[in-house]
Amino acid sequence: MVDATLEAEIRRIIYNDYGVGNQNIDSEEIYNKLIQRGIDVPRNAMGDIFSSLRKRGLIRGIGKMDSSKAPVHGFWSIMWVDRHIAV
C-alpha cells in the first residue's frame, strides 16, 4: 500500500518544482528534496509511489533496474507529467 502523505509530498514537488508536460526528472532529485525537507523516506516507498502514479496516468517514465539505488529512491526517470498531478 502506498503512503498517501509521502505520495502527496512527491506530487507537490513534481508539480511545483518541475511543472507538467514533457520532463526529464530523475527520482534521486525528488528524493534529495524530500530529505532536505526533513521527510523520512522508507525503503522501496518511492518506487511503489512512482509505479502507482504511472498506473493512474499521472506520469510517464521508466523504473531502472539498479539494485543499490532502487530501494532508496525508486531509480526512476520521469519523462512526462499530467496536469492532474497537482494535489
Side-chain angles (χ1 to χ4, degrees):
M1 184 168 191
V2 173
D3 180 333
T5 303
L6 182 58
E7 178 184 318
E9 191 61 35
I10 288 171
R11 289 174 67 170
R12 274 191 282 282
I13 288 171
I14 291 171
Y15 184 77
N16 294 330
D17 294 2
Y18 299 96
V20 299
N22 292 329
Q23 297 291 331
N24 186 16
I25 307 168
D26 183 0
S27 62
E28 189 170 14
E29 294 175 24
I30 296 170
Y31 174 80
N32 290 336
K33 289 175 186 268
L34 292 167
I35 297 302
Q36 289 172 353
R37 294 177 185 187
I39 297 171
D40 181 44
V41 181
R43 288 183 66 78
N44 299 310
M46 287 186 66
D48 292 343
I49 289 169
F50 291 131
S51 291
S52 175
L53 293 174
R54 182 177 66 183
K55 286 177 187 173
R56 291 183 280 159
L58 296 174
I59 64 170
R60 290 186 199 142
I62 56 169
K64 302 172 191 168
M65 300 305 287
D66 182 317
S67 60
S68 66
K69 294 181 182 178
V72 178
H73 58 76
F75 204 40
W76 270 71
S77 178
I78 299 169
M79 296 177 269
W80 179 83
V81 178
D82 186 90
R83 65 185 174 91
H84 293 103
I85 194 100
V87 179

